[in-house]
Amino acid sequence: MPQFADRVAKAQRSFIREILKVTADPSVISFAGGLPNPASFPVPEIAAAASKVLYESGPSALQYSTTEGYKPLREWIARRYQEKKGMDVNPEDILITTGSQQALDLVAKILVNAGDTVVMEKPGYLGAIQAFTIFRPQWRSVPLENDGPDLAALEKAVDGAKLFYAVTSFQNPSGLSYSEEKRAKVAEILSRNEIFFLEDDPYGELRFKGRALPPVYKQRPEHSMLLGTFSKVAAPGFRLGWIVARGEIMERLVIAKQAADLHTGSLDQMIVHQFLADNDFEAHVARISQLYGDQCRAMQAAIARHFPKNVHVTDPDGGMFLWVTLPEGMSATELLKRSVACKVAFVPGAAFFVDGTGENTLRLNYSNADAATIEEGIKRLAACLDGCMQGAGACKG
Amino acid sequence: MPQFADRVAKAQRSFIREILKVTADPSVISFAGGLPNPASFPVPEIAAAASKVLYESGPSALQYSTTEGYKPLREWIARRYQEKKGMDVNPEDILITTGSQQALDLVAKILVNAGDTVVMEKPGYLGAIQAFTIFRPQWRSVPLENDGPDLAALEKAVDGAKLFYAVTSFQNPSGLSYSEEKRAKVAEILSRNEIFFLEDDPYGELRFKGRALPPVYKQRPEHSMLLGTFSKVAAPGFRLGWIVARGEIMERLVIAKQAADLHTGSLDQMIVHQFLADNDFEAHVARISQLYGDQCRAMQAAIARHFPKNVHVTDPDGGMFLWVTLPEGMSATELLKRSVACKVAFVPGAAFFVDGTGENTLRLNYSNADAATIEEGIKRLAACLDGCMQGAGACKG
């Protein structure tokens, strides 16, 4: 057995992906995954696009291509930022990545020395915790409020830090979003402290309430990177994401990407570009958002009917998740053991905290179940919760 | 501007990929790339497979999937090792990667601390140099002879090292292969010194001369990893490679892969699996090997006709490359400057050496040009060589 590198000596498999294996049992209702609803996948349109690409441009779709990505796709992404959000983004500011998970790996790789301080939200996105942890940062985290981060805590946390990482719209896991006011204040705090910002925006298109807000990136593009993905608005199986960045940062990212996988799949990029060119993307996104809005309201209504009143749940304007806070002292990990026996699953919240707290929190996904399934699953979960609260302390943390 | 991590502070773009940009000019004959011949891509078969997958299994082809990879594809790969090479490889020993470049990144990530010694061939594969260099190893290199590494040099180099990396069949850049005898001796030396082996085998299927030999991996699977890819036998645009590894090593690789990109594209994996299931893969591989054999012989014949006699060229049994050694004191980098003006390109060899030598070497790719183009390109290159040798020292290193 070789001696492993220090960076993976204590690494563990994603708890969430292990839970997903349990939920392969079809009798289990799962609110655990972060899966888009396959009913939202534009399968016939993708099949038509794949056929067109292969018959018209087969050899180039199957050949090696540039590290930066397929140029027409980069142009489409840049144009959309310009037209929808009034942002100054050019095609050469876009690097196509193998899902936005790869973007997290590349950013961590080019920026983080062991011991560097990285600031994230509390709770924060697990995929980012995993990608960064490989490069052994020192973590600090800033509590999320209903309208964005606790600003005083942010001001304190960024002191001496290298980077602030945040999901500013419909966050995973909390569903919370930064208000217009907080976006401005976050930009101001980061600028004053000369802190680089990594803004992750996988869910921003999936708004079903309220008014669209541009990414914080728009306010200081020279000192930010912005991540996007087609996983939630086309399909995740393509593994197509991107980084928006400029100048020397983009140069380092391209070098790191060359070493990481040369380039992202040519065929995938060309199929998705063809799909975008031949279909009404705005209407497609609107349909997904409406579907998820309906399912979110169904879950909120079921929770209101069935959950004990001392359980707190967020009220998102978009995205795929509700965030549940149980009374102090309760353990969502213990609740999961009980709920799996009742055939309903979720993700205990502790994995989303870099400071070891969050034991009384959990994440519920509503994107991947219809209203009837949501009602039944929440009813089962409520029964487990009741059992925990009245039982012999089995759900104490 | 943020402070970059030490691991990329001195990183540079791949010289080869920069050369490839020069060769985008269609009037330039390029022997520079490592591109498979697009004429070998099974475009109609891939189009049929894509259509079948999307119409029959669209939602699952477009959804997130497991980190380890698409199970039927892993089963196909394992079965082929068993049946063709008599190797003890099971589906759970296979991790699907985003091209075998990603395999190099993952292996380096889980094994290499800054300062660890990694041994490679001289010349050695540039993509591996790039992937490993990010993790800042100390390099040692072992000269390649016509039948494999210099064994005395290998014995010395592996002392205290963590890993030996090698391309054992039709190596990139040299075209050289390990003989049966050297395979056994390499395994013996590595076992005696308790050195882990990373064996890269992207070209092994592309044999056009001689008798197939199993990977060295077969002799000590517990202490090796073996890399494979569909890039040279199906198409590189899919970005589909794999790692064969066992036990705790596989466990760490899966964890690193989760953090790196969650999983490799679902649709790509399913399309390639469908292509393999519906077509005669052996016949397909035989056609590619014959094509490359013909082109290799065309290039060797052109070289025999046109090159000065004091230039040495390898005689590969398969793969995609010839390796040229110019007389001592000549510089292939200087030759390239001259040859680009004559509209013919290649890759100077120095990039394949981790010890700063190799200035008088160069790599010629024959897979991606037909016989007439090869003849014309070699004629042009020979004229540049003559000019260099007779000229005012413009090609001195």
Side-chain angles (χ1 to χ4, degrees):
Chain A
M1 184 66 53
Q3 198 194 330
F4 294 106
D6 298 338
R7 68 182 75 82
V8 299
K10 283 184 277 185
Q12 291 184 325
R13 283 188 185 226
S14 160
F15 183 49
I16 293 192
R17 291 184 78 84
E18 299 309 304
I19 294 174
L20 294 186
K21 288 185 184 169
V22 174
T23 61
D25 173 355
S27 72
V28 172
I29 293 177
S30 177
F31 304 134
L35 303 186
N37 197 319
S40 77
F41 297 162
V43 178
E45 292 83 354
I46 295 290
S51 180
K52 196 163 170 182
V53 164
L54 281 163
Y55 283 104
E56 291 179 3
S57 322
S60 67
L62 297 174
Q63 188 56 286
Y64 283 115
S65 60
T66 60
T67 300
E68 291 85 347
Y70 182 53
K71 206 166 170 214
L73 186 62
R74 296 163 72 209
E75 288 167 349
W76 187 93
I77 294 167
R79 201 165 50 239
R80 193 171 153 84
Y81 279 122
Q82 292 161 12
E83 291 173 1
K84 284 279 285 193
K85 296 175 182 165
M87 288 166 68
D88 178 19
V89 174
N90 297 301
E92 58 270 26
D93 305 335
I94 309 282
L95 172 65
I96 302 292
T97 58
T98 307
S100 62
Q101 185 68 35
Q102 186 187 43
L104 295 167
D105 176 64
L106 298 178
V107 170
K109 214 178 237 172
I110 70 157
L111 286 180
V112 179
N113 282 321
D116 281 352
T117 297
V118 174
V119 181
M120 67 139 51
E121 297 156 310
K122 177 180 171 173
Y125 175 53
L126 181 58
I129 296 175
Q130 292 176 313
F132 275 86
T133 294
I134 296 259
F135 299 98
R136 302 201 293 156
Q138 181 139 4
W139 286 111
R140 287 184 199 149
S141 58
V142 177
L144 271 185
E145 300 169 341
N146 276 330
D147 61 349
D150 174 330
L151 295 176
L154 178 65
E155 182 93 44
K156 203 171 147 200
V158 297
D159 182 42
K162 186 160 241 176
L163 188 73
F164 176 47
Y165 166 81
V167 182
T168 48
S169 294
F170 326 132
Q171 194 230 25
N172 181 354
S174 70
L176 297 171
S177 298
Y178 290 29
S179 66
E180 188 164 13
E181 192 189 346
K182 280 232 169 142
R183 283 171 199 251
K185 289 206 168 137
V186 166
E188 190 272 316
I189 289 171
L190 297 178
S191 290
R192 185 152 34 74
N193 290 275
E194 299 183 353
I195 299 296
F196 215 74
F197 188 34
L198 175 58
E199 184 171 20
D200 195 355
D201 191 26
Y203 311 104
E205 301 276 0
L206 305 177
R207 178 180 287 279
F208 44 74
K209 253 197 325 198
R211 186 171 56 88
L213 294 172
V216 179
Y217 177 93
K218 186 178 178 179
Q219 299 179 51
R220 47 196 298 273
E222 296 295 346
H223 304 93
S224 304
M225 287 173 281
L226 173 62
L227 309 186
T229 178
F230 287 110
S231 289
K232 314 303 187 286
V233 292
F238 290 115
R239 312 307 301 122
L240 280 184
W242 64 86
I243 309 180
V244 189
R246 293 184 176 186
E248 187 60 24
I249 298 156
M250 177 54 81
E251 177 71 17
R252 302 289 160 136
L253 288 168
V254 170
I255 291 167
K257 167 114 181 128
Q258 283 179 345
D261 65 1
L262 291 182
H263 65 85
T264 292
S266 321
L267 178 61
D268 291 319
Q269 294 186 67
M270 290 176 77
I271 291 174
V272 168
H273 177 259
Q274 193 68 55
F275 161 72
L276 296 168
D278 291 348
N279 293 276
D280 183 345
F281 182 67
E282 306 307 331
H284 174 69
V285 167
R287 277 193 298 274
I288 303 175
S289 301
Q290 194 185 333
L291 176 71
Y292 292 179
D294 291 347
Q295 292 176 186
C296 179
R297 283 182 290 273
M299 188 173 272
Q300 289 175 312
I303 285 173
R305 276 192 295 278
H306 303 297
F307 271 22
K309 296 303 162 212
N310 56 352
V311 170
H312 178 264
V313 185
T314 53
D315 180 23
D317 292 340
M320 301 173 24
F321 303 105
L322 289 178
W323 182 247
V324 177
T325 306
L326 305 173
E328 277 295 332
M330 278 189 73
S331 163
T333 314
E334 294 301 318
L335 177 64
L336 180 67
K337 288 180 189 159
R338 191 178 280 240
S339 81
V340 164
C342 309
K343 306 276 186 190
V344 58
F346 58 85
V347 177
F352 300 97
F353 290 75
V354 291
D355 65 355
T357 64
E359 188 55 39
N360 65 323
T361 61
L362 60 98
R363 189 188 76 177
L364 295 176
N365 168 262
Y366 52 75
S367 61
N368 201 19
D370 61 26
T373 309
I374 286 172
E375 170 68 17
E376 174 60 23
I378 292 296
K379 220 191 297 187
R380 289 184 197 172
L381 188 54
C384 296
L385 263 173
D386 280 343
C388 272
M389 287 179 177
Q390 291 153 20
C395 297
K396 297 295 176 199
Chain B
M1 186 66 51
Q3 199 195 328
F4 293 107
D6 298 339
R7 69 182 73 82
V8 298
K10 282 185 277 184
Q12 291 185 324
R13 284 190 183 223
S14 159
F15 184 48
I16 293 191
R17 292 184 77 83
E18 298 310 305
I19 294 174
L20 293 186
K21 287 184 184 170
V22 174
T23 62
D25 172 355
S27 71
V28 172
I29 293 177
S30 177
F31 304 133
L35 303 186
N37 196 321
S40 77
F41 297 162
V43 178
E45 292 84 354
I46 294 290
S51 180
K52 197 163 170 182
V53 165
L54 281 163
Y55 283 105
E56 291 179 4
S57 322
S60 68
L62 297 174
Q63 188 57 285
Y64 284 114
S65 60
T66 60
T67 300
E68 292 84 349
Y70 182 54
K71 207 167 167 212
L73 185 63
R74 296 163 72 208
E75 288 166 350
W76 186 94
I77 294 167
R79 202 165 50 241
R80 192 170 154 85
Y81 279 123
Q82 292 160 13
E83 292 174 1
K84 283 279 284 191
K85 296 176 183 166
M87 290 167 65
D88 178 19
V89 174
N90 297 301
E92 58 271 26
D93 305 334
I94 309 281
L95 171 65
I96 302 291
T97 57
T98 307
S100 63
Q101 184 68 35
Q102 186 188 41
L104 295 167
D105 176 64
L106 297 178
V107 170
K109 215 179 234 173
I110 70 157
L111 286 181
V112 179
N113 282 321
D116 281 354
T117 297
V118 175
V119 181
M120 69 138 51
E121 298 155 310
K122 177 179 169 172
Y125 175 52
L126 180 60
I129 297 175
Q130 292 177 313
F132 276 85
T133 294
I134 296 259
F135 299 99
R136 302 199 293 156
Q138 181 138 2
W139 286 111
R140 287 184 201 149
S141 57
V142 177
L144 271 186
E145 299 169 341
N146 276 332
D147 61 348
D150 173 330
L151 296 175
L154 178 65
E155 182 93 47
K156 203 171 147 200
V158 298
D159 182 43
K162 187 160 240 175
L163 187 73
F164 177 46
Y165 167 81
V167 181
T168 49
S169 295
F170 325 132
Q171 193 229 24
N172 181 355
S174 70
L176 297 170
S177 298
Y178 290 29
S179 66
E180 189 164 14
E181 193 190 345
K182 280 234 168 143
R183 281 170 201 253
K185 290 207 166 135
V186 166
E188 190 273 315
I189 289 170
L190 297 178
S191 290
R192 186 155 30 78
N193 290 275
E194 299 183 353
I195 298 296
F196 215 75
F197 189 33
L198 175 58
E199 184 172 19
D200 196 354
D201 190 25
Y203 310 104
E205 302 277 1
L206 304 177
R207 179 180 286 279
F208 44 74
K209 254 200 317 199
R211 188 170 57 88
L213 295 172
V216 178
Y217 176 93
K218 185 177 180 181
Q219 300 180 50
R220 46 195 301 270
E222 297 294 346
H223 304 93
S224 304
M225 288 173 280
L226 173 62
L227 310 187
T229 179
F230 288 111
S231 289
K232 314 303 188 285
V233 292
F238 289 117
R239 311 307 302 122
L240 279 185
W242 64 86
I243 309 180
V244 189
R246 294 183 175 186
E248 187 60 23
I249 298 156
M250 177 54 82
E251 178 71 17
R252 301 292 158 134
L253 287 170
V254 170
I255 291 168
K257 167 111 180 130
Q258 284 179 345
D261 65 1
L262 291 181
H263 66 85
T264 292
S266 321
L267 178 60
D268 292 317
Q269 294 186 68
M270 291 175 76
I271 291 174
V272 168
H273 177 259
Q274 194 68 55
F275 162 73
L276 296 168
D278 291 348
N279 293 277
D280 182 346
F281 181 67
E282 305 307 332
H284 175 67
V285 166
R287 276 192 299 274
I288 302 175
S289 301
Q290 194 185 332
L291 176 70
Y292 292 179
D294 291 345
Q295 291 176 188
C296 179
R297 283 182 289 274
M299 189 174 272
Q300 288 175 313
I303 285 173
R305 275 192 295 277
H306 302 298
F307 271 22
K309 296 303 161 210
N310 55 351
V311 170
H312 179 265
V313 185
T314 54
D315 180 23
D317 291 340
M320 300 171 26
F321 303 104
L322 290 179
W323 181 247
V324 177
T325 306
L326 305 174
E328 278 294 333
M330 278 189 73
S331 162
T333 314
E334 293 302 316
L335 177 64
L336 180 66
K337 288 180 191 160
R338 191 179 281 241
S339 81
V340 164
C342 311
K343 307 276 186 193
V344 58
F346 58 84
V347 177
F352 301 97
F353 290 75
V354 291
D355 65 355
T357 64
E359 187 57 38
N360 65 325
T361 61
L362 60 100
R363 189 188 77 177
L364 294 176
N365 168 264
Y366 53 75
S367 61
N368 201 19
D370 61 26
T373 309
I374 286 172
E375 170 68 18
E376 173 61 24
I378 292 296
K379 220 191 298 188
R380 288 185 198 173
L381 188 54
C384 296
L385 265 173
D386 280 342
C388 272
M389 287 180 178
Q390 291 154 20
C395 296
K396 297 294 173 199

